[in-house]
Amino acid sequence: MLDYEILRLLCWGLLGLFLISFALSGGLELGISMLLPLLNATEAQRRVIIARLAPLSAGNQTWLAATVVVLFVGWPTVYAAAFASFQMLLLLVLLALFVRPAGFYFRNSISGADFLKNWDKALYVSGLLPAVLLGLLAGNLLKGFPFHLSSDMHIAFLGNFAGLFNPFALLVAATCLALLASHGAIYLQLHGDDEIRLRGKALALPAGAAFLILFAMAGLWITHLEGYHVTTEIIPDGVSNPLTKFVKRGDGLWLDNYEHAPSLWAIPALVFVGGIAALVLSKFDRGYWALLASSVTVTMTVLTLGVSMFPFLAPSNISLNSSLTIWDASASQATLTVLLWLAGLLLPLMVVSTRWLFRISL
């Protein structure tokens, strides 16, 4: 059996891989859905786009479900704290995610004008809403959210739904929206007919430029945002008990990992490199390479979030010592071992399946 510390790190890496995979494949679907009203597409063109996305939709939901399962099995306390605190937000995300596959499969089955118009609105909302809400979730994770762990591990959320809409979280939500819109537009530039390719290209530039500006603004804000730091000795292979540590909060502490390992700066730097490359390649009609560069941007954006917060998974801004890290909120060593084997086997199968779905949808 692997060392407990190594197991926690490997399972954290798996959680990140599942999340990145959802962002890459599901992000395309969200981006294209929210761009549908801006494409000025004919009914025939809309049917082609939706028929192309339909086979991908179920697979994309699987990536999200797998991410949630890995979190639930690997860090059940984090799962409980997140769902207790973001209950309404996650419920809205789930409702939107349920609507979109139904729209993809049923929209093209009936030709009534009102029916099509209503489904187009539903698809637009089901793309826009999860992108915004998942960005809000990421922003609140960075800012910390108000929950408290009692001595018997009872979790209490001490905030309210309106409090999740703070200025920093809204900025992160806008950044997420621009990123996925750019990602979807570049995909359309590669896989649409001539008119859709031109419209995708026209949308990719403003969306990509907006993302780079917003990402830079969020980065500058983080330098002054209150981050979190464990002040007591961290025992990576110790027993899971979040209440045995002390946590401090201070401006710029989310940059600690970059100061200790300067090579990590390459990750946010690659966000800009990938984003600029995607825009340049898109402008010169190199759609395939632009999509690859956009995928690098999406991947590095998710990695920037994970590396900045490491080892925290759920920081509490009202009860600092209740914050949850990968070291003190994980499942047992035996459970993580099973999770590593099962998720490790499932991941390549899902990658191959997703690649096959993208291939048959072309």
Side-chain angles (χ1 to χ4, degrees):
M1 184 178 289
L2 287 173
D3 182 77
Y4 204 7
E5 176 184 0
I6 300 298
L7 270 174
R8 283 166 163 162
L9 278 174
L10 290 176
C11 288
W12 177 75
L14 273 176
L15 178 65
L17 287 174
F18 278 102
L19 185 59
I20 288 170
S21 300
F22 171 70
L24 287 173
S25 58
L28 278 178
E29 189 185 330
L30 294 177
I32 295 170
S33 298
M34 74 175 80
L35 291 177
L36 282 175
L38 305 177
L39 293 174
N40 295 322
T42 63
E43 178 54 29
Q45 289 170 328
R46 284 175 185 269
R47 285 177 178 267
V48 170
I49 292 171
I50 289 170
R52 182 167 290 155
L53 291 178
L56 305 176
S57 187
N60 292 335
Q61 312 301 338
T62 307
W63 280 114
L64 180 61
T67 304
V68 173
V69 168
V70 172
L71 180 65
F72 171 70
V73 176
W75 289 272
T77 314
V78 177
Y79 171 88
F83 274 77
S85 304
F86 301 120
Q87 192 176 43
M88 182 59 70
L89 188 149
L90 292 172
L91 178 62
L92 290 173
V93 171
L94 288 176
L95 287 175
L97 292 178
F98 280 132
V99 166
R100 198 170 53 260
F104 287 148
Y105 282 106
F106 296 121
R107 181 192 180 279
N108 291 353
S109 62
I110 298 177
S111 57
D114 290 339
F115 179 85
L116 295 176
K117 189 176 178 181
N118 289 331
W119 267 121
D120 286 344
K121 289 178 182 175
L123 287 175
Y124 167 67
V125 172
S126 69
L128 182 71
L129 192 62
V132 171
L133 295 179
L134 291 174
L136 275 175
L137 176 62
N140 279 288
L141 284 177
L142 280 165
K143 200 171 183 305
F145 53 101
F147 70 93
H148 173 73
L149 277 181
S150 62
S151 56
D152 59 356
M153 294 294 131
H154 176 75
I155 299 168
F157 177 58
L158 303 177
N160 55 60
F161 183 62
L164 301 178
F165 294 81
N166 55 77
F168 178 75
L170 289 172
L171 173 61
V172 177
T175 306
C176 180
L177 193 68
L179 173 64
L180 298 185
S182 171
H183 198 45
I186 290 174
Y187 179 84
L188 288 173
Q189 185 182 352
L190 182 63
H191 293 295
D193 60 23
D194 289 343
E195 289 184 2
I196 295 298
R197 285 172 196 261
L198 288 175
R199 289 167 191 161
K201 178 181 176 181
L203 291 169
L205 179 60
F211 163 70
L212 291 174
I213 292 170
L214 291 168
F215 185 79
M217 289 172 62
L220 289 173
W221 195 325
I222 283 176
T223 61
H224 299 289
L225 185 74
E226 288 188 325
Y228 299 78
H229 182 80
V230 179
T231 57
T232 47
E233 182 184 2
I234 295 175
I235 306 176
D237 57 352
V239 176
S240 289
N241 185 351
L243 298 179
T244 59
K245 67 181 181 305
F246 288 96
V247 175
K248 72 174 182 179
R249 183 172 56 183
D251 290 352
L253 285 180
W254 283 143
L255 302 180
D256 265 9
N257 290 330
Y258 299 98
E259 291 177 4
H260 292 136
S263 60
L264 293 177
W265 283 109
I267 295 174
L270 282 172
V271 173
F272 289 102
V273 172
I276 293 170
L279 293 183
V280 172
L281 292 164
S282 170
K283 179 177 175 57
F284 289 101
D285 294 318
R286 298 292 187 267
Y288 176 78
W289 294 106
L291 188 58
L292 282 182
S294 179
S295 299
V296 170
T297 307
V298 173
T299 301
M300 292 302 152
T301 302
V302 178
L303 278 178
T304 300
L305 173 66
V307 167
S308 300
M309 290 185 62
F310 184 87
F312 288 90
L313 289 173
S316 170
N317 61 11
I318 202 166
S319 174
L320 299 182
N321 296 336
S322 297
S323 299
L324 305 172
T325 73
I326 72 165
W327 309 122
D328 59 25
S330 76
S332 67
Q333 190 170 3
T335 302
L336 289 185
T337 301
V338 173
L339 174 64
L340 181 65
W341 278 104
L342 292 180
L345 289 172
L346 182 64
L347 182 65
L349 293 176
M350 289 181 65
V351 169
V352 171
S353 301
T354 301
R355 179 62 187 137
W356 177 74
L357 286 172
F358 270 90
R359 186 179 291 277
I360 65 170
S361 69
L362 296 179

